[in-house]
Amino acid sequence: MSDSSDKTTHFGFETVPEGEKAGRVQGVFNSVASKYDIMNDVMSMGIHRVWKDAMMDWLAPRPGQRLLDVAGGTGDISFRFLKRAGEGHSTVLDLTEPMLIEGRKRAEAEQRADSLDWVVGDAMALPFEDNTFDVYTISFGIRNVTRPQEALNEAYRVLRPGGRLMVLEFSQLPNPAMQKAYDLYSFNVIPRMGKAIAGDYDSYQYLVESIRNFPDQDTFLDMVKTAGFANAKYRNLSLGIAALHSGWKV
C-alpha cells in the first residue's frame, strides 16, 4: 500500500491529508446516523426513493443472488434488493457502526434477519474473498471514499465473473444554468435545513461540497472501465442531479 502521509484529498472544499479523510467522514455520519433517512430527503428534495427504485429496475434482482451493499448504512438498498429478489442474501458494509445500528433497528431488518449481515468495513479494503458476490451496489457513498478508484477495483475483485456493479451517486447537471440554480439550492438551503432538522449545519455543508467535488458522469464512467468492468454505461436521473453507473465483471 502506498504511503499516504504526504498525499492530500478533498473533504468537501477543504484539502486534508488522505489519512484524515476516513475519520472525518465517519464523524459526519456518526453525527447524522439517527437522521440519515431524513437527510436523504433533504439532500434530494425527497426524490431519492424514486432514484433507488430506478436502480432496482435496472438491476433486476434475481432469486438467490448475493449482494454486497457498500456504504449501505441503514439498509435502504438491501431491503429493496431482497424484496425484489424474493430470496437472496445481502451483506451491508459501512465504515460507520452507528449507521449499521440504525439499519438493524428497522422493521425490515427483523423480518429478514436470516438474509442480512451487517459488517463494519472499508470500501478500499473489503474484508471478503475474491469472486464472492453476484452484485455490488454503493448508493450515495462513493464520493465519501478517499480513493474511489480503489473502491471500484475492490468491487471488481469481490464480484464473481458475470457479477454486476451499480453505483448511485449525486452528479452534475449538463446545463450550466440549471447547475447554477441547483447549486444555489444546495449551498443556501440544504445546510440550513440540516441545522433545522438535525441540529447539524457543518455535516450538511460537507455533503453539499462533496457532491460538487465528485467527478462528472463521463469521468466516473472512465473510472469504472479502468477497474475492469465491461459494458459500462450510465443513466442520468432527474436530468443529472443523480446518475446510475453500471458495469459487468466478465
Side-chain angles (χ1 to χ4, degrees):
M1 185 176 289
S2 62
D3 178 17
S4 63
S5 61
D6 59 349
K7 293 183 179 178
T8 59
T9 187
H10 294 291
F11 180 77
F13 288 164
E14 191 179 347
T15 299
V16 299
E18 278 195 350
E20 283 186 17
K21 179 162 180 175
R24 295 183 68 167
V25 168
Q26 271 186 291
V28 168
F29 287 96
N30 281 334
S31 173
V32 303
S34 64
K35 303 272 190 180
Y36 182 68
D37 295 313
I38 296 171
M39 185 194 80
N40 278 334
D41 284 324
V42 173
M43 297 291 290
S44 71
M45 296 177 281
I47 306 169
H48 70 99
R49 293 180 180 84
V50 175
W51 296 340
K52 289 169 181 172
D53 287 340
M55 184 183 197
M56 289 300 118
D57 290 343
W58 198 10
L59 193 56
R62 299 193 304 278
Q65 286 185 319
R66 294 184 65 85
L67 167 68
L68 175 60
D69 182 18
V70 174
T74 58
D76 245 17
I77 296 301
S78 291
F79 296 134
R80 280 175 165 79
F81 178 89
L82 292 170
K83 185 176 180 181
R84 295 277 189 115
E87 58 168 323
H89 190 277
S90 177
T91 298
V92 185
L93 179 135
D94 203 285
L95 193 63
T96 308
E97 189 170 20
M99 294 287 289
L100 298 172
I101 290 169
E102 289 300 317
R104 279 195 294 260
K105 289 178 184 176
R106 291 173 60 157
E108 302 103 312
E110 293 180 22
Q111 295 163 14
R112 297 188 177 273
D114 294 341
S115 303
L116 283 162
D117 290 328
W118 305 84
V119 178
V120 177
D122 185 346
M124 298 187 299
L126 295 172
F128 307 111
E129 299 291 324
D130 297 358
N131 308 313
T132 299
F133 298 96
D134 301 300
V135 181
Y136 173 112
T137 57
I138 183 165
S139 173
F140 305 120
I142 200 158
R143 75 181 190 280
N144 297 311
V145 174
T146 304
R147 295 182 294 279
Q149 187 66 61
E150 288 186 21
L152 292 170
N153 297 346
E154 278 287 89
Y156 188 87
R157 180 183 68 77
V158 301
L159 280 170
R160 293 173 178 153
R164 180 90 178 268
L165 165 85
M166 191 160 286
V167 181
L168 172 60
E169 189 51 87
F170 289 107
S171 199
Q172 311 293 331
L173 287 153
N175 180 300
M178 292 170 64
Q179 182 65 55
K180 186 174 182 182
Y182 182 67
D183 282 346
L184 282 169
Y185 163 77
S186 298
F187 286 100
N188 291 296
V189 177
I190 289 175
R192 289 182 173 88
M193 290 177 71
K195 175 70 172 173
I197 294 167
D200 189 340
Y201 184 97
D202 291 344
S203 293
Y204 286 77
Q205 180 72 21
Y206 158 71
L207 290 164
V208 170
E209 291 175 0
S210 69
I211 294 169
R212 291 285 69 81
N213 274 331
F214 193 69
D216 66 20
Q217 290 89 324
D218 289 306
T219 303
F220 189 70
L221 184 66
D222 287 340
M223 294 169 67
V224 171
K225 293 175 180 176
T226 296
F229 289 98
N231 197 25
K233 52 186 69 171
Y234 70 84
R235 295 177 179 177
N236 280 331
L237 303 173
S238 301
L239 305 174
I241 292 175
L244 277 170
H245 282 76
S246 168
W248 298 83
K249 180 173 177 176
V250 297

